[in-house]
Amino acid sequence: MTSNSQTILAILVTYHSCLILLGLWAARRAQTNEDFLIGGRNLNGWVAGFSYAATSSSAWVLMGFSGFVYATGLSALWMLPGIWGGYVFAWVVLGKQLQQRAHQYNYVTFTDFIAADTVSHARRRIVLASSAMILFCFIFYISAQLLASGSAMKTYFDIPSWHGILLAALIVGVYSVLGGFWAVSTTDMIQGIVILVIAILLPLAALVEAGGPVELWAHLKQDTPGHLDIFGGRAGLTATGAALGMAGIGLGTFGQPQLMTRIMSVKNDKERRKAFKIAMSWSLIVFSGMALLGLSARVLPVSMDNAEQILFGTTSLLFPNIIAGLVMAALLSAVMSTVDSILVASSASISHDIKFQLVQSVLMSRIAAAGLMVLAVGISLSAPTSIFERVLFAWTALGAAFGPVLFARLARWRPHPNAVFLAMMTGFFVSVAFNQYLYAGPSNLYERIGPWICPLFLLYVWRLETPAEQHDG
């Protein structure tokens, strides 16, 4: 093992020992299932903002998005209006109502909100269907993050990637299972700050190494001119459709339980506004930084196996061993920041939403989280694929399943319970079918927007006649 690897390992051991200690501390605060799953709805703006940002992006933006920009060029930037628009709409337009109703009706999970104003068998059917879809997508989501960690550890410790996957699963699983929402929110805040620092320093160093903005542009124009075409070589309606398709990725925001729960958990409206400013500022800086890194790396002699490793290759190229060790240790920690939140949200689907009445407790939530982590490890080892594609699939499918219902609830349409159930199922399965048979990358307009059309129509035309008055169900 090189001295650089030893530095990274030492920092990783220290850092993750602190995370496990934090999990032990948080376990003392998770006395009830509500504490474990939503932090008692008492998060402040700093924790909520940074944890929302880190949970929504982490490995996807650091490795997936930077790699996509590296491979595609400026046309990849059409994602950004949709992603940033999702932040604004989630926190500003929808966030106030979502946070207030979560407190008013004591909602613990996003499914509580989706199934609001329904009772008896109708509610049970909605809850079971939504839980099944969440678990199905989140298993792939978690496996993608574990795959990212395994890839990173393979690069820097020269160990089989499956060793890295198991180690990452063990570390994240321990503090998540112990501390639940309190632990993952606090650790995500820390990792969000880490990602922010890296997204400022590393792209700037890469840009300087590339010779500055003018020199970078000249090199790209000479070596890879297609990278400077904002439409990626497309024209007319094809170009418009591709741009809208990439921007449409932002629609997935509104179906993500791990993100909506962050908004629901903020303790008051003042803290919600603060959280939005923090999350939005983070997103603007980090996504811009990773885009700059992806472009700069095109003209640097970066050693890597695939495009999603440019961040690690660039770090090794630009920094001396000790600094590279510090940066890489932080990165290896940051790419795991999404796993913990998704793990808690997944366990909530089992322990709270499905409601095993005899065992609905913190213990049940912890058992569920541990079982889901084991299953995700199995998928990571047996069905590897790109981080970008796996996350994009889960993101889009959940957005199509729950996003239309969220909009209908907040618009006070008060849809019929059968319309809610059919809308979820239609959005989800159309999204899966499009991904399976029509997948053409993130620029596919039909795959992003198409699954929303029928659900929104169902929810609007099949409404209850009485005035909207939500309750806990």
Side-chain angles (χ1 to χ4, degrees), residues 42-89:
N42 200 36
L43 258 62
N44 64 47
W46 286 98
V47 175
F50 272 113
S51 64
Y52 178 98
T55 298
S56 69
S57 304
S58 61
W60 186 85
V61 63
L62 291 175
M63 299 178 68
F65 179 69
S66 61
F68 186 61
V69 174
Y70 175 89
T72 306
L74 291 182
S75 62
L77 303 186
W78 285 109
M79 288 185 187
L80 298 182
I83 292 170
W84 291 334
Y87 272 69
V88 173
F89 214 88

mmCIF file of all heavy atoms in Angstrom, residues 42-89:
data_model
loop_
_atom_site.group_PDB
_atom_site.id
_atom_site.type_symbol
_atom_site.label_atom_id
_atom_site.label_comp_id
_atom_site.label_asym_id
_atom_site.label_seq_id
_atom_site.Cartn_x
_atom_site.Cartn_y
_atom_site.Cartn_z
ATOM 1 N N ASN A 42 -38.128 18.204 14.090
ATOM 2 C CA ASN A 42 -37.498 19.280 14.855
ATOM 3 C C ASN A 42 -36.139 19.682 14.284
ATOM 4 O O ASN A 42 -35.281 20.184 15.006
ATOM 5 C CB ASN A 42 -37.330 18.825 16.314
ATOM 6 C CG ASN A 42 -37.140 19.994 17.262
ATOM 7 O OD1 ASN A 42 -37.732 21.051 17.082
ATOM 8 N ND2 ASN A 42 -36.301 19.798 18.264
ATOM 9 N N LEU A 43 -35.938 19.504 12.971
ATOM 10 C CA LEU A 43 -34.666 19.862 12.365
ATOM 11 C C LEU A 43 -34.556 21.378 12.182
ATOM 12 O O LEU A 43 -35.531 22.034 11.846
ATOM 13 C CB LEU A 43 -34.522 19.195 10.991
ATOM 14 C CG LEU A 43 -33.618 17.959 10.934
ATOM 15 C CD1 LEU A 43 -34.178 16.860 11.824
ATOM 16 C CD2 LEU A 43 -33.461 17.468 9.506
ATOM 17 N N ASN A 44 -33.353 21.900 12.409
ATOM 18 C CA ASN A 44 -33.133 23.310 12.124
ATOM 19 C C ASN A 44 -32.738 23.486 10.658
ATOM 20 O O ASN A 44 -32.502 22.520 9.935
ATOM 21 C CB ASN A 44 -32.084 23.903 13.069
ATOM 22 C CG ASN A 44 -30.704 23.276 12.895
ATOM 23 O OD1 ASN A 44 -30.209 23.125 11.785
ATOM 24 N ND2 ASN A 44 -30.076 22.908 14.016
ATOM 25 N N GLY A 45 -32.655 24.727 10.220
ATOM 26 C CA GLY A 45 -32.416 25.006 8.815
ATOM 27 C C GLY A 45 -31.066 24.540 8.311
ATOM 28 O O GLY A 45 -30.949 24.072 7.169
ATOM 29 N N TRP A 46 -30.021 24.664 9.138
ATOM 30 C CA TRP A 46 -28.697 24.252 8.708
ATOM 31 C C TRP A 46 -28.644 22.757 8.435
ATOM 32 O O TRP A 46 -28.134 22.318 7.398
ATOM 33 C CB TRP A 46 -27.658 24.635 9.768
ATOM 34 C CG TRP A 46 -27.359 26.097 9.793
ATOM 35 C CD1 TRP A 46 -27.893 27.030 10.639
ATOM 36 C CD2 TRP A 46 -26.477 26.811 8.923
ATOM 37 N NE1 TRP A 46 -27.411 28.274 10.355
ATOM 38 C CE2 TRP A 46 -26.529 28.185 9.308
ATOM 39 C CE3 TRP A 46 -25.650 26.441 7.867
ATOM 40 C CZ2 TRP A 46 -25.778 29.167 8.670
ATOM 41 C CZ3 TRP A 46 -24.908 27.421 7.224
ATOM 42 C CH2 TRP A 46 -24.980 28.757 7.624
ATOM 43 N N VAL A 47 -29.146 21.981 9.374
ATOM 44 C CA VAL A 47 -29.117 20.523 9.206
ATOM 45 C C VAL A 47 -30.009 20.110 8.040
ATOM 46 O O VAL A 47 -29.611 19.308 7.181
ATOM 47 C CB VAL A 47 -29.561 19.817 10.502
ATOM 48 C CG1 VAL A 47 -29.653 18.303 10.284
ATOM 49 C CG2 VAL A 47 -28.592 20.123 11.634
ATOM 50 N N ALA A 48 -31.221 20.653 7.982
ATOM 51 C CA ALA A 48 -32.159 20.277 6.923
ATOM 52 C C ALA A 48 -31.629 20.661 5.543
ATOM 53 O O ALA A 48 -31.715 19.881 4.590
ATOM 54 C CB ALA A 48 -33.518 20.930 7.168
ATOM 55 N N GLY A 49 -31.071 21.868 5.423
ATOM 56 C CA GLY A 49 -30.583 22.336 4.129
ATOM 57 C C GLY A 49 -29.416 21.531 3.607
ATOM 58 O O GLY A 49 -29.426 21.063 2.461
ATOM 59 N N PHE A 50 -28.395 21.355 4.435
ATOM 60 C CA PHE A 50 -27.224 20.610 3.993
ATOM 61 C C PHE A 50 -27.542 19.129 3.786
ATOM 62 O O PHE A 50 -27.044 18.499 2.839
ATOM 63 C CB PHE A 50 -26.084 20.761 5.004
ATOM 64 C CG PHE A 50 -25.209 21.955 4.756
ATOM 65 C CD1 PHE A 50 -25.188 23.017 5.646
ATOM 66 C CD2 PHE A 50 -24.407 22.023 3.629
ATOM 67 C CE1 PHE A 50 -24.393 24.129 5.423
ATOM 68 C CE2 PHE A 50 -23.607 23.126 3.392
ATOM 69 C CZ PHE A 50 -23.585 24.185 4.292
ATOM 70 N N SER A 51 -28.354 18.552 4.661
ATOM 71 C CA SER A 51 -28.660 17.125 4.513
ATOM 72 C C SER A 51 -29.533 16.875 3.292
ATOM 73 O O SER A 51 -29.384 15.860 2.600
ATOM 74 C CB SER A 51 -29.329 16.581 5.777
ATOM 75 O OG SER A 51 -30.589 17.187 6.009
ATOM 76 N N TYR A 52 -30.468 17.805 2.993
ATOM 77 C CA TYR A 52 -31.269 17.681 1.775
ATOM 78 C C TYR A 52 -30.366 17.699 0.549
ATOM 79 O O TYR A 52 -30.494 16.876 -0.360
ATOM 80 C CB TYR A 52 -32.274 18.827 1.704
ATOM 81 C CG TYR A 52 -33.129 18.835 0.449
ATOM 82 C CD1 TYR A 52 -34.415 18.293 0.457
ATOM 83 C CD2 TYR A 52 -32.663 19.402 -0.740
ATOM 84 C CE1 TYR A 52 -35.206 18.313 -0.692
ATOM 85 C CE2 TYR A 52 -33.437 19.427 -1.887
ATOM 86 C CZ TYR A 52 -34.711 18.884 -1.857
ATOM 87 O OH TYR A 52 -35.480 18.900 -3.001
ATOM 88 N N ALA A 53 -29.434 18.657 0.519
ATOM 89 C CA ALA A 53 -28.542 18.791 -0.626
ATOM 90 C C ALA A 53 -27.659 17.569 -0.799
ATOM 91 O O ALA A 53 -27.526 17.027 -1.905
ATOM 92 C CB ALA A 53 -27.687 20.049 -0.454
ATOM 93 N N ALA A 54 -27.046 17.112 0.296
ATOM 94 C CA ALA A 54 -26.155 15.958 0.206
ATOM 95 C C ALA A 54 -26.917 14.701 -0.174
ATOM 96 O O ALA A 54 -26.434 13.877 -0.954
ATOM 97 C CB ALA A 54 -25.429 15.761 1.543
ATOM 98 N N THR A 55 -28.128 14.557 0.372
ATOM 99 C CA THR A 55 -28.924 13.376 0.065
ATOM 100 C C THR A 55 -29.374 13.375 -1.388
ATOM 101 O O THR A 55 -29.427 12.325 -2.037
ATOM 102 C CB THR A 55 -30.159 13.323 0.987
ATOM 103 O OG1 THR A 55 -29.719 13.217 2.335
ATOM 104 C CG2 THR A 55 -31.039 12.124 0.667
ATOM 105 N N SER A 56 -29.696 14.537 -1.925
ATOM 106 C CA SER A 56 -30.213 14.598 -3.290
ATOM 107 C C SER A 56 -29.132 14.367 -4.331
ATOM 108 O O SER A 56 -29.440 14.024 -5.472
ATOM 109 C CB SER A 56 -30.869 15.967 -3.539
ATOM 110 O OG SER A 56 -29.895 16.989 -3.567
ATOM 111 N N SER A 57 -27.874 14.527 -3.968
ATOM 112 C CA SER A 57 -26.836 14.525 -4.995
ATOM 113 C C SER A 57 -25.672 13.587 -4.686
ATOM 114 O O SER A 57 -25.517 12.560 -5.335
ATOM 115 C CB SER A 57 -26.324 15.956 -5.189
ATOM 116 O OG SER A 57 -27.392 16.819 -5.512
ATOM 117 N N SER A 58 -24.829 13.925 -3.763
ATOM 118 C CA SER A 58 -23.625 13.199 -3.363
ATOM 119 C C SER A 58 -22.953 12.429 -4.499
ATOM 120 O O SER A 58 -22.388 13.006 -5.410
ATOM 121 C CB SER A 58 -23.916 12.296 -2.166
ATOM 122 O OG SER A 58 -24.886 11.348 -2.480
ATOM 123 N N ALA A 59 -22.996 11.077 -4.463
ATOM 124 C CA ALA A 59 -22.277 10.278 -5.456
ATOM 125 C C ALA A 59 -22.755 10.566 -6.867
ATOM 126 O O ALA A 59 -21.985 10.511 -7.825
ATOM 127 C CB ALA A 59 -22.427 8.790 -5.139
ATOM 128 N N TRP A 60 -24.040 10.892 -7.000
ATOM 129 C CA TRP A 60 -24.573 11.138 -8.340
ATOM 130 C C TRP A 60 -23.926 12.361 -8.968
ATOM 131 O O TRP A 60 -23.535 12.345 -10.130
ATOM 132 C CB TRP A 60 -26.090 11.321 -8.261
ATOM 133 C CG TRP A 60 -26.730 11.435 -9.607
ATOM 134 C CD1 TRP A 60 -27.133 10.412 -10.410
ATOM 135 C CD2 TRP A 60 -27.014 12.646 -10.318
ATOM 136 N NE1 TRP A 60 -27.660 10.908 -11.577
ATOM 137 C CE2 TRP A 60 -27.604 12.275 -11.555
ATOM 138 C CE3 TRP A 60 -26.850 14.006 -10.050
ATOM 139 C CZ2 TRP A 60 -28.019 13.207 -12.499
ATOM 140 C CZ3 TRP A 60 -27.255 14.933 -10.991
ATOM 141 C CH2 TRP A 60 -27.837 14.530 -12.199
ATOM 142 N N VAL A 61 -23.789 13.436 -8.214
ATOM 143 C CA VAL A 61 -23.200 14.645 -8.790
ATOM 144 C C VAL A 61 -21.681 14.545 -8.849
ATOM 145 O O VAL A 61 -21.050 14.949 -9.828
ATOM 146 C CB VAL A 61 -23.634 15.918 -8.023
ATOM 147 C CG1 VAL A 61 -23.161 15.907 -6.593
ATOM 148 C CG2 VAL A 61 -23.121 17.171 -8.728
ATOM 149 N N LEU A 62 -21.065 13.974 -7.818
ATOM 150 C CA LEU A 62 -19.613 13.894 -7.785
ATOM 151 C C LEU A 62 -19.062 12.977 -8.863
ATOM 152 O O LEU A 62 -18.066 13.287 -9.512
ATOM 153 C CB LEU A 62 -19.143 13.405 -6.411
ATOM 154 C CG LEU A 62 -19.332 14.363 -5.236
ATOM 155 C CD1 LEU A 62 -18.929 13.698 -3.940
ATOM 156 C CD2 LEU A 62 -18.558 15.649 -5.443
ATOM 157 N N MET A 63 -19.685 11.836 -9.057
ATOM 158 C CA MET A 63 -19.171 10.853 -10.009
ATOM 159 C C MET A 63 -20.040 10.759 -11.266
ATOM 160 O O MET A 63 -19.534 10.777 -12.381
ATOM 161 C CB MET A 63 -19.074 9.490 -9.325
ATOM 162 C CG MET A 63 -18.132 9.485 -8.139
ATOM 163 S SD MET A 63 -18.047 7.897 -7.290
ATOM 164 C CE MET A 63 -17.232 6.883 -8.529
ATOM 165 N N GLY A 64 -21.361 10.656 -11.091
ATOM 166 C CA GLY A 64 -22.238 10.477 -12.235
ATOM 167 C C GLY A 64 -22.333 11.707 -13.117
ATOM 168 O O GLY A 64 -22.106 11.642 -14.325
ATOM 169 N N PHE A 65 -22.659 12.872 -12.532
ATOM 170 C CA PHE A 65 -22.843 14.085 -13.325
ATOM 171 C C PHE A 65 -21.523 14.576 -13.914
ATOM 172 O O PHE A 65 -21.454 14.954 -15.091
ATOM 173 C CB PHE A 65 -23.488 15.182 -12.476
ATOM 174 C CG PHE A 65 -23.699 16.474 -13.210
ATOM 175 C CD1 PHE A 65 -24.635 16.563 -14.223
ATOM 176 C CD2 PHE A 65 -22.945 17.600 -12.895
ATOM 177 C CE1 PHE A 65 -24.819 17.749 -14.924
ATOM 178 C CE2 PHE A 65 -23.130 18.792 -13.578
ATOM 179 C CZ PHE A 65 -24.073 18.867 -14.599
ATOM 180 N N SER A 66 -20.461 14.570 -13.114
ATOM 181 C CA SER A 66 -19.161 15.006 -13.635
ATOM 182 C C SER A 66 -18.713 14.106 -14.777
ATOM 183 O O SER A 66 -18.163 14.577 -15.782
ATOM 184 C CB SER A 66 -18.112 15.026 -12.517
ATOM 185 O OG SER A 66 -17.935 13.724 -11.975
ATOM 186 N N GLY A 67 -18.948 12.788 -14.637
ATOM 187 C CA GLY A 67 -18.603 11.858 -15.708
ATOM 188 C C GLY A 67 -19.448 12.065 -16.946
ATOM 189 O O GLY A 67 -18.969 11.927 -18.079
ATOM 190 N N PHE A 68 -20.724 12.414 -16.755
ATOM 191 C CA PHE A 68 -21.609 12.643 -17.892
ATOM 192 C C PHE A 68 -21.196 13.899 -18.664
ATOM 193 O O PHE A 68 -21.207 13.917 -19.895
ATOM 194 C CB PHE A 68 -23.055 12.761 -17.405
ATOM 195 C CG PHE A 68 -24.067 12.858 -18.517
ATOM 196 C CD1 PHE A 68 -24.202 11.844 -19.444
ATOM 197 C CD2 PHE A 68 -24.877 13.974 -18.639
ATOM 198 C CE1 PHE A 68 -25.127 11.927 -20.478
ATOM 199 C CE2 PHE A 68 -25.805 14.081 -19.658
ATOM 200 C CZ PHE A 68 -25.928 13.046 -20.582
ATOM 201 N N VAL A 69 -20.816 14.950 -17.946
ATOM 202 C CA VAL A 69 -20.329 16.161 -18.604
ATOM 203 C C VAL A 69 -19.027 15.870 -19.344
ATOM 204 O O VAL A 69 -18.815 16.336 -20.478
ATOM 205 C CB VAL A 69 -20.123 17.299 -17.582
ATOM 206 C CG1 VAL A 69 -19.477 18.512 -18.247
ATOM 207 C CG2 VAL A 69 -21.451 17.697 -16.950
ATOM 208 N N TYR A 70 -18.149 15.091 -18.723
ATOM 209 C CA TYR A 70 -16.895 14.704 -19.365
ATOM 210 C C TYR A 70 -17.158 13.979 -20.683
ATOM 211 O O TYR A 70 -16.508 14.246 -21.695
ATOM 212 C CB TYR A 70 -16.111 13.794 -18.414
ATOM 213 C CG TYR A 70 -14.839 13.225 -19.001
ATOM 214 C CD1 TYR A 70 -13.631 13.915 -18.892
ATOM 215 C CD2 TYR A 70 -14.841 11.995 -19.652
ATOM 216 C CE1 TYR A 70 -12.458 13.392 -19.426
ATOM 217 C CE2 TYR A 70 -13.673 11.463 -20.188
ATOM 218 C CZ TYR A 70 -12.495 12.166 -20.069
ATOM 219 O OH TYR A 70 -11.336 11.640 -20.606
ATOM 220 N N ALA A 71 -18.125 13.069 -20.688
ATOM 221 C CA ALA A 71 -18.398 12.269 -21.875
ATOM 222 C C ALA A 71 -19.242 13.000 -22.910
ATOM 223 O O ALA A 71 -19.117 12.745 -24.109
ATOM 224 C CB ALA A 71 -19.099 10.967 -21.464
ATOM 225 N N THR A 72 -20.095 13.938 -22.464
ATOM 226 C CA THR A 72 -21.092 14.538 -23.349
ATOM 227 C C THR A 72 -20.784 15.969 -23.736
ATOM 228 O O THR A 72 -21.031 16.385 -24.866
ATOM 229 C CB THR A 72 -22.485 14.483 -22.679
ATOM 230 O OG1 THR A 72 -22.760 13.146 -22.306
ATOM 231 C CG2 THR A 72 -23.560 14.975 -23.630
ATOM 232 N N GLY A 73 -20.266 16.755 -22.825
ATOM 233 C CA GLY A 73 -19.977 18.148 -23.111
ATOM 234 C C GLY A 73 -21.046 19.099 -22.625
ATOM 235 O O GLY A 73 -21.839 18.771 -21.724
ATOM 236 N N LEU A 74 -21.122 20.263 -23.238
ATOM 237 C CA LEU A 74 -22.025 21.318 -22.776
ATOM 238 C C LEU A 74 -23.488 20.927 -22.854
ATOM 239 O O LEU A 74 -24.317 21.465 -22.115
ATOM 240 C CB LEU A 74 -21.800 22.591 -23.606
ATOM 241 C CG LEU A 74 -20.467 23.318 -23.408
ATOM 242 C CD1 LEU A 74 -20.421 24.569 -24.267
ATOM 243 C CD2 LEU A 74 -20.251 23.674 -21.937
ATOM 244 N N SER A 75 -23.855 20.014 -23.733
ATOM 245 C CA SER A 75 -25.263 19.614 -23.848
ATOM 246 C C SER A 75 -25.774 18.990 -22.559
ATOM 247 O O SER A 75 -26.988 18.988 -22.305
ATOM 248 C CB SER A 75 -25.464 18.653 -25.016
ATOM 249 O OG SER A 75 -24.727 17.460 -24.834
ATOM 250 N N ALA A 76 -24.866 18.471 -21.718
ATOM 251 C CA ALA A 76 -25.272 17.894 -20.436
ATOM 252 C C ALA A 76 -25.824 18.955 -19.489
ATOM 253 O O ALA A 76 -26.562 18.638 -18.542
ATOM 254 C CB ALA A 76 -24.099 17.176 -19.771
ATOM 255 N N LEU A 77 -25.483 20.210 -19.733
ATOM 256 C CA LEU A 77 -25.877 21.284 -18.813
ATOM 257 C C LEU A 77 -27.362 21.598 -18.867
ATOM 258 O O LEU A 77 -27.866 22.346 -18.026
ATOM 259 C CB LEU A 77 -25.063 22.547 -19.097
ATOM 260 C CG LEU A 77 -23.546 22.402 -19.014
ATOM 261 C CD1 LEU A 77 -22.876 23.758 -19.171
ATOM 262 C CD2 LEU A 77 -23.118 21.737 -17.712
ATOM 263 N N TRP A 78 -28.080 21.045 -19.854
ATOM 264 C CA TRP A 78 -29.531 21.233 -19.869
ATOM 265 C C TRP A 78 -30.199 20.605 -18.653
ATOM 266 O O TRP A 78 -31.345 20.905 -18.349
ATOM 267 C CB TRP A 78 -30.123 20.653 -21.156
ATOM 268 C CG TRP A 78 -29.875 21.504 -22.358
ATOM 269 C CD1 TRP A 78 -29.036 21.245 -23.401
ATOM 270 C CD2 TRP A 78 -30.455 22.791 -22.637
ATOM 271 N NE1 TRP A 78 -29.050 22.272 -24.313
ATOM 272 C CE2 TRP A 78 -29.921 23.239 -23.874
ATOM 273 C CE3 TRP A 78 -31.371 23.607 -21.973
ATOM 274 C CZ2 TRP A 78 -30.278 24.449 -24.454
ATOM 275 C CZ3 TRP A 78 -31.722 24.819 -22.548
ATOM 276 C CH2 TRP A 78 -31.189 25.232 -23.763
ATOM 277 N N MET A 79 -29.491 19.721 -17.973
ATOM 278 C CA MET A 79 -30.038 19.163 -16.725
ATOM 279 C C MET A 79 -30.212 20.222 -15.657
ATOM 280 O O MET A 79 -31.117 20.143 -14.829
ATOM 281 C CB MET A 79 -29.096 18.090 -16.170
ATOM 282 C CG MET A 79 -29.059 16.798 -16.918
ATOM 283 S SD MET A 79 -28.014 15.657 -16.010
ATOM 284 C CE MET A 79 -27.960 14.321 -17.177
ATOM 285 N N LEU A 80 -29.320 21.201 -15.658
ATOM 286 C CA LEU A 80 -29.247 22.122 -14.526
ATOM 287 C C LEU A 80 -30.499 22.966 -14.308
ATOM 288 O O LEU A 80 -30.921 23.128 -13.149
ATOM 289 C CB LEU A 80 -28.009 23.018 -14.671
ATOM 290 C CG LEU A 80 -26.673 22.265 -14.669
ATOM 291 C CD1 LEU A 80 -25.508 23.232 -14.765
ATOM 292 C CD2 LEU A 80 -26.553 21.394 -13.421
ATOM 293 N N PRO A 81 -31.132 23.522 -15.343
ATOM 294 C CA PRO A 81 -32.376 24.265 -15.073
ATOM 295 C C PRO A 81 -33.432 23.406 -14.400
ATOM 296 O O PRO A 81 -34.156 23.878 -13.514
ATOM 297 C CB PRO A 81 -32.831 24.714 -16.470
ATOM 298 C CG PRO A 81 -31.592 24.740 -17.290
ATOM 299 C CD PRO A 81 -30.742 23.615 -16.773
ATOM 300 N N GLY A 82 -33.529 22.134 -14.808
ATOM 301 C CA GLY A 82 -34.505 21.252 -14.198
ATOM 302 C C GLY A 82 -34.169 20.911 -12.756
ATOM 303 O O GLY A 82 -35.031 20.908 -11.873
ATOM 304 N N ILE A 83 -32.890 20.635 -12.511
ATOM 305 C CA ILE A 83 -32.461 20.294 -11.155
ATOM 306 C C ILE A 83 -32.636 21.480 -10.217
ATOM 307 O O ILE A 83 -33.199 21.358 -9.117
ATOM 308 C CB ILE A 83 -30.996 19.824 -11.171
ATOM 309 C CG1 ILE A 83 -30.894 18.482 -11.900
ATOM 310 C CG2 ILE A 83 -30.452 19.699 -9.747
ATOM 311 C CD1 ILE A 83 -29.473 18.045 -12.182
ATOM 312 N N TRP A 84 -32.172 22.639 -10.641
ATOM 313 C CA TRP A 84 -32.305 23.829 -9.790
ATOM 314 C C TRP A 84 -33.762 24.257 -9.654
ATOM 315 O O TRP A 84 -34.182 24.702 -8.583
ATOM 316 C CB TRP A 84 -31.462 24.968 -10.369
ATOM 317 C CG TRP A 84 -29.985 24.713 -10.253
ATOM 318 C CD1 TRP A 84 -29.368 23.928 -9.316
ATOM 319 C CD2 TRP A 84 -28.943 25.226 -11.089
ATOM 320 N NE1 TRP A 84 -28.012 23.914 -9.515
ATOM 321 C CE2 TRP A 84 -27.713 24.706 -10.591
ATOM 322 C CE3 TRP A 84 -28.921 26.061 -12.194
ATOM 323 C CZ2 TRP A 84 -26.477 25.004 -11.179
ATOM 324 C CZ3 TRP A 84 -27.687 26.381 -12.776
ATOM 325 C CH2 TRP A 84 -26.485 25.853 -12.280
ATOM 326 N N GLY A 85 -34.532 24.108 -10.729
ATOM 327 C CA GLY A 85 -35.957 24.399 -10.626
ATOM 328 C C GLY A 85 -36.653 23.482 -9.645
ATOM 329 O O GLY A 85 -37.576 23.894 -8.931
ATOM 330 N N GLY A 86 -36.198 22.217 -9.584
ATOM 331 C CA GLY A 86 -36.758 21.277 -8.612
ATOM 332 C C GLY A 86 -36.515 21.716 -7.187
ATOM 333 O O GLY A 86 -37.399 21.610 -6.323
ATOM 334 N N TYR A 87 -35.324 22.238 -6.914
ATOM 335 C CA TYR A 87 -35.021 22.760 -5.579
ATOM 336 C C TYR A 87 -35.976 23.908 -5.214
ATOM 337 O O TYR A 87 -36.544 23.942 -4.116
ATOM 338 C CB TYR A 87 -33.583 23.282 -5.540
ATOM 339 C CG TYR A 87 -32.531 22.259 -5.186
ATOM 340 C CD1 TYR A 87 -32.201 21.230 -6.052
ATOM 341 C CD2 TYR A 87 -31.849 22.335 -3.982
ATOM 342 C CE1 TYR A 87 -31.216 20.306 -5.738
ATOM 343 C CE2 TYR A 87 -30.864 21.426 -3.641
ATOM 344 C CZ TYR A 87 -30.555 20.409 -4.536
ATOM 345 O OH TYR A 87 -29.593 19.492 -4.210
ATOM 346 N N VAL A 88 -36.116 24.846 -6.138
ATOM 347 C CA VAL A 88 -36.958 26.022 -5.874
ATOM 348 C C VAL A 88 -38.403 25.598 -5.651
ATOM 349 O O VAL A 88 -39.054 26.030 -4.678
ATOM 350 C CB VAL A 88 -36.867 27.022 -7.048
ATOM 351 C CG1 VAL A 88 -37.864 28.156 -6.851
ATOM 352 C CG2 VAL A 88 -35.454 27.575 -7.166
ATOM 353 N N PHE A 89 -38.922 24.772 -6.533
ATOM 354 C CA PHE A 89 -40.329 24.385 -6.438
ATOM 355 C C PHE A 89 -40.588 23.560 -5.179
ATOM 356 O O PHE A 89 -41.612 23.734 -4.501
ATOM 357 C CB PHE A 89 -40.730 23.591 -7.685
ATOM 358 C CG PHE A 89 -42.148 23.829 -8.101
ATOM 359 C CD1 PHE A 89 -42.481 24.878 -8.951
ATOM 360 C CD2 PHE A 89 -43.167 23.009 -7.635
ATOM 361 C CE1 PHE A 89 -43.811 25.100 -9.319
ATOM 362 C CE2 PHE A 89 -44.486 23.213 -7.999
ATOM 363 C CZ PHE A 89 -44.807 24.270 -8.848
#
